[in-house]
Amino acid sequence: MKIKFDKYHIRLRNAEHTILIPRNTSGIHWNAVGGEWGKELIGDREALYALLYACAVLTYDHNKIIYFPIKGNELNEEDFLNYKHDVVFTTYKSGLHVSDWKEYRQIIRKMTPQTYTFDYDRKRIDAHAKEVEDQDFWHYKVREKTCVGYEKDAFDTWFTALDGQAYLSGYGTLRKMADRPLENEFVKCQDYPPYETFLTYEPATRHGGSYNEKYCYGFMFYDTSLVPAMKAYMEKIRSEKKFDEKKKKLVVNEHDTTKTKSDLRNIRVAKKKKTKKEVVDT
């Protein structure tokens, strides 16, 4: 399967970088910049696949820079926080200097993109991701020093550099999420839309071997085209609850003041029929 990105190959002073832009980023929103709950990307299924394929690329090509130009995207839902940020995923091996990013972005706006094609072999990368999943805390015990990258907020852009294994782990989580019936889950969600944490890592000083939520990335599935169906489903659930409550009131004692005269008459008739049946049976 061939996955296509817009490609910009840029030379700036002594640096040379290839910047890739996924082609389905219009539905992605950046909901959090730091804080104890980590970072959160929100979007539909196309947004999910854009992140999934980006992680796949960085698993094998550590020199690429994946740019998500999403700061101008509209909010998926008015209650989400609106930080107006772009996002960049790369590895520490790419040698990207954040201080040059403003110039790179200006150059990109003046360039005509080429096409970068990634040969996505799902069986191969799924098997690779499964190997990593079976190694508990691999990125803490085995590759602790090399896994840790950097985060930086600059020029309305959030930069993250991890190693290829971290992105492979993120791919595995997103792949499992993409295989779920997310549209059905979203329509029927009553508490929180489908959500998974897909990238985690520790700063240089870790505590107890578990990741800190400040250093993680999550993806929430939120498809605006499904919102009418979700609202209709929720209204159906509410109406069914009201009906159940009404039925329960009809079986309480006949002195219940919530009943109408006809309700009370029906209860008396039912009791008489029951009494007659018991007499006949005896």
Side-chain angles (χ1 to χ4, degrees):
M1 183 176 173
K2 307 292 185 182
I3 308 300
K4 295 183 178 180
F5 295 76
D6 289 338
K7 182 179 82 170
Y8 299 85
H9 190 76
I10 301 175
R11 293 180 178 86
L12 183 65
R13 292 181 284 278
N14 295 326
E16 186 173 345
H17 291 295
T18 298
I19 300 172
L20 305 179
I21 299 180
R23 291 185 171 177
N24 299 311
T25 61
S26 61
I28 304 179
H29 180 68
W30 180 248
N31 191 45
V33 179
E36 61 185 45
W37 289 105
K39 274 66 65 176
E40 186 175 68
L41 290 155
I42 302 170
D44 56 14
R45 185 169 283 276
E46 283 194 342
L48 171 60
Y49 279 115
L51 290 168
L52 184 152
Y53 296 136
C55 287
V57 169
L58 293 172
T59 294
Y60 297 107
D61 193 337
H62 301 164
N63 293 316
K64 292 294 187 290
I65 297 166
I66 312 290
Y67 172 37
F68 297 88
I70 60 175
K71 70 175 184 176
N73 292 352
E74 294 183 3
L75 283 174
N76 297 319
E77 208 277 333
E78 60 182 9
D79 289 337
F80 293 150
L81 301 175
N82 191 9
Y83 282 106
K84 295 292 184 183
H85 267 62
D86 289 336
V87 175
V88 168
F89 284 166
T90 188
T91 76
Y92 57 86
K93 290 184 178 179
S94 69
L96 173 66
H97 293 287
V98 172
S99 58
D100 294 331
W101 182 249
K102 188 175 181 179
E103 290 183 74
Y104 283 128
R105 194 163 57 186
Q106 290 172 345
I107 294 171
I108 286 173
R109 290 170 182 163
K110 299 176 183 178
M111 291 178 66
T112 300
Q114 296 175 308
T115 298
Y116 173 84
T117 302
F118 175 67
D119 188 7
Y120 175 64
D121 183 342
R122 175 171 176 174
K123 288 185 178 180
R124 178 178 70 125
I125 191 169
D126 280 6
H128 193 181
K130 184 64 170 62
E131 291 175 4
V132 171
E133 182 182 343
D134 292 339
Q135 301 174 29
D136 293 337
F137 298 110
W138 60 265
H139 50 302
Y140 303 140
K141 296 180 179 179
V142 181
R143 299 171 59 88
E144 182 179 68
K145 292 183 180 179
T146 57
C147 170
V148 176
Y150 64 78
E151 287 191 310
K152 192 171 181 64
D153 181 12
F155 310 116
D156 297 326
T157 304
W158 195 266
F159 299 86
T160 299
L162 303 174
D163 74 352
Q165 293 273 43
Y167 287 109
L168 176 60
S169 178
Y171 164 85
T173 300
L174 292 174
R175 180 70 268 175
K176 289 178 182 178
M177 190 176 189
D179 289 342
R180 285 160 45 190
L182 294 173
E183 288 77 8
N184 189 49
E185 290 180 32
F186 177 76
V187 169
K188 294 186 176 182
C189 70
Q190 297 186 43
D191 297 316
Y192 205 70
Y195 179 87
E196 290 290 343
T197 297
F198 69 98
L199 284 179
T200 64
Y201 69 98
E202 279 285 349
T205 55
R206 63 191 177 94
H207 304 282
S210 62
Y211 72 86
N212 185 324
E213 288 179 335
K214 287 181 68 175
Y215 303 93
C216 70
Y217 291 80
F219 178 78
M220 180 198 291
F221 178 80
Y222 195 100
D223 190 337
T224 52
S225 68
L226 297 173
V227 171
M230 179 181 67
K231 290 181 177 179
Y233 177 80
M234 296 304 296
E235 183 58 36
K236 178 184 175 184
I237 295 297
R238 282 193 289 268
S239 64
E240 288 177 350
K241 286 182 179 179
K242 289 179 182 178
F243 180 74
D244 290 342
E245 290 171 359
K246 186 176 180 182
K247 286 181 66 177
K248 288 177 183 178
K249 288 179 180 179
L250 292 176
V251 298
V252 296
N253 69 73
E254 62 177 308
H255 302 292
D256 187 350
T257 57
T258 62
K259 290 182 172 54
T260 62
K261 290 183 178 180
S262 61
D263 291 336
L264 295 172
R265 183 174 64 252
N266 291 336
I267 290 174
R268 286 193 292 270
V269 170
K271 282 185 175 182
K272 287 181 180 179
K273 287 182 179 179
K274 184 179 179 181
T275 303
K276 287 182 179 179
K277 186 175 184 302
E278 290 175 349
V279 171
V280 170
D281 291 340
T282 56

